[in-house]
């Protein structure tokens, strides 16, 4: 069992702590501080959220995606062929993202998360840091395509660009790479295309390759999950309780990212409740094949509650580990 | 039978107006405990007067009070109800954060929430002011729930409360009541909960009922939404024209209902020209009868500057006046009459 998080972490704390990043971005937008000043604050806050995750007991962390405005535009603005457009609702959340508009051939032109990952791994010292990207299928689904006018071509173009990034991550010895693909749950009919995309990543990445889904159900794809050429599949068991049906016949060739702490509601789970849910999974899945994590990224919560949720999550895991000894 | 008379293509707006700088500053100071509530309240009244005056000068037909006292449309109600507390900051996009309500106990309304401000605004003008409420589904969806067993229980509790509030607004003289449900399209699988809540919110009401729904894909829920018990739907035809018109073409629009057609993009700084707005109104005239249409911006104007909001509304009213002339020349009556039960 490894205790992990999904992707983002709340960017600003609440009083008495200072909302440093919010102020810095505001000052930068008004031309009062330089890009270097802002970058320094991004780094400071990233260090803080790395420390917070580690102190909460998280064993496989992320950089908290502190620099990301959202899952799409952070990637889109670093690729050729994409302009960043207007605000759109992000799935069923009261949260919005800027839509990438595809206006030409999509091409990788500069590192996207490589430097972020390297710095985060350095600051995290001996704790492994996952490299996290939004997956090509979800990027394609959340973009406005004015160039390819074809979902298959568009998602393959995104794949080709992201593969360039993954080559660099592989060279830098990233051990865990996660691609977020919530959109595939809404269009299970595209699963053949989806598999094709992931074969490209598998060819070049030798570490643990994960796909995380959230907000929805994977039941329609139940019988096909074993075909995924990956190591870890993250599933949200909070938003859709029906996903618990997947435990029983969960593919033996995959590890499960078991999303059981509600990252979209403040109601706090107790360590005992978490321990019970873990035992439920252990009936079907071996301990070595379980990653225990919140249901999705933590930015839907106030920072302090996100921390408390992680703390209880790791206490829950410790209860199970203690029980076994 | 009561009758409401309005000029053909009545003009209105969705609800919020930008807060003047002095009010933004005062709200900030109040949050830090630097000024008293009564000081803030005085400035909210002053700003409300300015919003009413602006709309009267522009020549809008059905006014809004501008929501100078409200921060967020869901949080405002939560702040004034028992059973809620307000969370720390949660990001909505970019560098924007809001305080999301948390339900921590049984929700109770201890006093009317919106009636005093409605009465104040209505006392300033002879034009009708809309009573503005947020629907139970949206308040529930935009809150954390730590108390109710499930979302339906929470929605139905809030629905009773919104109904009481609406009845109080009617008693205070509101002819138009708008209950906004922007969260409805985000969970098509919960449409029945939303519908059940909306029915409860509107029971025994006799005023002209409006709902504004935005930011979403109506396709899976259109046939349900269109049967919500209201007289008028207010939809964003500027940013969502490509999705809404095909739906109306395919499934039709009830002949006995009114439509408020959003003709102004509220998310852009650009002031649309009169000609552009006229084109949007004429597009709407292809799908609706002239006496079915009201004209307004896509959504609340609170994210625009005061000057932008004013300029956008001015051009909107100019555009409507020009289209009215044309309609009257074509033989339409200059007035529409809305028949209401007594």
């Amino acid at each position: 069992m490894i205790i992990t998080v999904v992707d983002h972490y709340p960017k600003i704390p609440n009083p008495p702590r200072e909302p440093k990043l919010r102020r810095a971005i505001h000052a930068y937008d008004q031309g009062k501080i330089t890009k270097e000043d802002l970058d320094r604050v991004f780094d400071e806050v990233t260090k803080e959220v790395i420390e917070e995750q580690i102190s909460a007991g998280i064993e496989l962390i992320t950089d908290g995606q502190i620099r990301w405005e959202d899952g799409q535009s952070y990637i889109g603005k670093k690729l050729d062929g994409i302009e960043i457009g207007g605000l759109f609702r992000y799935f069923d959340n009261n949260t919005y993202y800027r839509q990438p508009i595809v206006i030409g051939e999509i091409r990788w032109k500069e590192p996207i998360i490589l430097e972020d990952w390297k710095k985060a791994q350095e600051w995290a010292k001996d704790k492994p840091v996952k490299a996290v990207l939004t997956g090509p299928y979800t990027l394609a689904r959340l973009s406005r395509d004015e160039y390819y006018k074809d979902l298959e071509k568009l998602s393959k173009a995104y794949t080709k660009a992201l593969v360039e990034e993954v080559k660099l991550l592989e060279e830098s010895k990233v051990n865990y790479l996660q691609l977020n693909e919530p959109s595939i749950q809404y269009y299970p009919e595209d699963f053949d295309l989806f598999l094709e995309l992931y074969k490209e990543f598998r060819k070049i990445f030798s570490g643990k390759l994960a796909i995380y889904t959230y907000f929805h159900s994977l039941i329609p794809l139940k019988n096909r999950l074993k075909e995924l050429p990956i190591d870890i599949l993250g599933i949200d068991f909070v938003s859709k309780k029906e996903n618990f049906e997947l435990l029983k016949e969960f593919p033996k060739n995959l590890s499960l990212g078991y999303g059981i702490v509600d990252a979209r509601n403040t109601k706090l789970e107790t360590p005992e409740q978490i321990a019970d849910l873990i035992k439920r999974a252990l009936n079907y899945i071996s301990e070595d094949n379980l990653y225990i994590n919140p249901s999705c990224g933590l930015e839907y919560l106030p920072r302090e509650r996100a921390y408390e949720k992680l703390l209880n999550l790791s206490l829950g895991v410790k209860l199970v580990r203690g029980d076994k000894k | 039978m009561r009758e409401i008379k309005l000029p053909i293509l009545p003009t209105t707006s969705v609800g919020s107006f930008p807060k003047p700088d002095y009010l933004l500053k005062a709200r900030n100071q109040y949050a830090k405990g630097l000024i008293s509530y009564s000081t803030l309240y005085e400035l909210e009244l002053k700003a409300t007067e300015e919003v009413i005056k602006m709309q009267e000068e522009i020549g809008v037909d059905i006014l809004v009070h501008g929501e100078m006292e409200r921060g967020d449309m869901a949080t405002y109600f939560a702040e004034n109800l028992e059973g809620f507390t307000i969370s720390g900051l949660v990001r909505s996009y970019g560098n924007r954060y809001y305080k999301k309500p948390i339900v921590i106990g049984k929700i109770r309304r201890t006093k009317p929430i919106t009636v005093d401000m409605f009465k104040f605004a209505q006392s300033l003008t002879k034009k009708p002011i809309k009573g503005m409420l947020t629907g139970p589904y949206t308040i529930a969806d935009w809150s954390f729930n730590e108390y109710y067993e499930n979302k339906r229980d929470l929605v139905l509790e809030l629905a009773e409360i919104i109904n009481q509030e609406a009845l109080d607004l009617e008693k205070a003289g509101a002819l138009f009541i708008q209950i906004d449900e922007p969260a409805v399209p985000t969970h098509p699988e919960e449409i029945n909960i939303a519908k059940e809540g909306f029915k409860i919110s509107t029971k025994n009401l006799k005023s002209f009922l409006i709902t504004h729904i935005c930011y979403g894909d109506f396709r899976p829920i259109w046939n349900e939404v269109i049967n919500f018990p209201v007289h008028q739907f207010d939809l964003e035809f500027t940013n969502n024209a490509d999705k809404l018109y095909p739906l109306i073409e395919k499934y039709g629009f009830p002949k006995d209902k009114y439509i408020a057609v959003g003709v102004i993009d509220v998310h852009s700084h650009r002031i649309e020209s009169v000609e552009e707005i006229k084109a949007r109104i004429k597009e709407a005239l292809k799908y609706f009868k002239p006496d079915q249409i009201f004209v307004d911006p896509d959504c609340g104007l609170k994210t625009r500057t005061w000057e932008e909001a004013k300029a956008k509304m001015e051009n909107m009213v100019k555009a409507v006046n020009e289209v009215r002339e044309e309609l009257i020349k074509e033989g339409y009556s200059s007035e529409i009459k809305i028949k209401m039960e007594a």
Side-chain angles (χ1 to χ4, degrees), chain B residues 71-258:
Chain B
D72 170 273
M73 62 181 285
T75 309
Y76 177 72
F77 287 88
E79 282 165 347
N80 286 287
L81 290 167
E82 261 183 34
F84 277 100
T85 182
I86 304 300
S87 81
L89 290 163
V90 178
R91 200 165 67 96
S92 58
Y93 66 89
N95 203 26
R96 288 218 179 215
Y97 292 78
Y98 70 107
K99 288 184 174 175
K100 190 166 169 172
I102 312 177
V103 183
I104 52 163
K106 187 173 166 59
I107 300 171
R108 286 193 189 86
R109 189 186 76 133
T110 53
K111 57 177 194 321
I113 300 167
T114 63
V115 173
D116 284 349
M117 198 51 111
F118 167 78
K119 278 190 190 162
F120 173 72
Q122 188 64 80
S123 75
L124 301 170
T125 175
K126 291 198 167 61
K127 297 251 177 92
I129 300 265
K130 292 199 263 193
M132 295 297 311
L133 300 172
T134 302
Y137 185 82
T138 297
I139 299 177
D141 194 55
W142 292 358
S143 300
F144 294 121
N145 174 17
E146 299 194 15
Y147 179 78
Y148 288 89
E149 186 62 34
N150 54 52
K151 195 160 176 184
R152 180 171 174 265
D153 290 356
L154 171 59
V155 170
L156 299 191
E157 185 92 86
L158 284 163
E160 293 289 350
I161 285 167
I162 295 302
N163 183 240
Q164 291 162 22
E165 187 69 22
L167 287 165
D168 282 341
L169 280 169
E170 279 192 356
K171 263 186 236 156
L175 277 179
F176 295 85
I177 292 181
Q178 181 172 320
I179 303 179
D180 292 343
E181 282 286 25
V184 165
T186 56
H187 294 270
E189 74 283 8
E190 289 179 350
I191 186 67
N192 286 326
I193 301 177
K195 200 165 84 175
E196 197 180 355
F198 203 87
K199 269 190 186 152
I200 295 171
S201 302
T202 52
K203 71 184 172 192
N204 302 326
L205 294 177
K206 296 198 166 58
S207 44
F208 184 90
L209 298 177
I210 306 160
T211 189
H212 169 72
I213 305 180
C214 59
Y215 271 133
D217 184 0
F218 283 94
R219 281 168 290 193
I221 53 166
W222 181 258
N223 286 318
E224 295 289 343
V225 166
I226 215 67
N227 288 311
F228 271 34
V230 293
H231 299 90
Q232 179 179 86
F233 291 97
D234 178 14
L235 306 176
E236 40 174 18
F237 281 90
T238 299
N239 271 336
N240 251 334
D242 56 333
K243 289 195 182 110
L244 288 171
Y245 284 127
L247 277 173
I248 288 162
E249 193 149 276
K250 195 165 170 195
Y251 300 107
F253 184 81
K255 293 278 167 278
D256 57 339
K257 293 203 175 180
Y258 296 86

Side-chain angles (χ1 to χ4, degrees), chain A residues 184-227:
Chain A
I184 189 61
Q185 303 166 107
Y186 301 83
Y187 305 94
E189 66 275 18
D190 285 340
F191 198 68
D192 287 327
L193 166 64
F194 192 75
L195 289 176
E196 253 188 87
L197 308 179
Y198 278 86
K199 279 177 191 148
E200 300 303 314
F201 293 107
R202 184 72 288 176
K203 275 184 211 161
I204 52 159
F205 188 71
S206 63
K208 299 272 191 198
L209 180 60
I211 290 174
Y212 266 65
T213 61
Y214 29 80
F215 308 144
H216 208 57
S217 171
L218 269 178
I219 297 287
L221 288 167
K222 192 177 171 181
N223 298 320
R224 303 209 57 190
L225 298 177
K226 59 176 180 297
E227 297 170 50

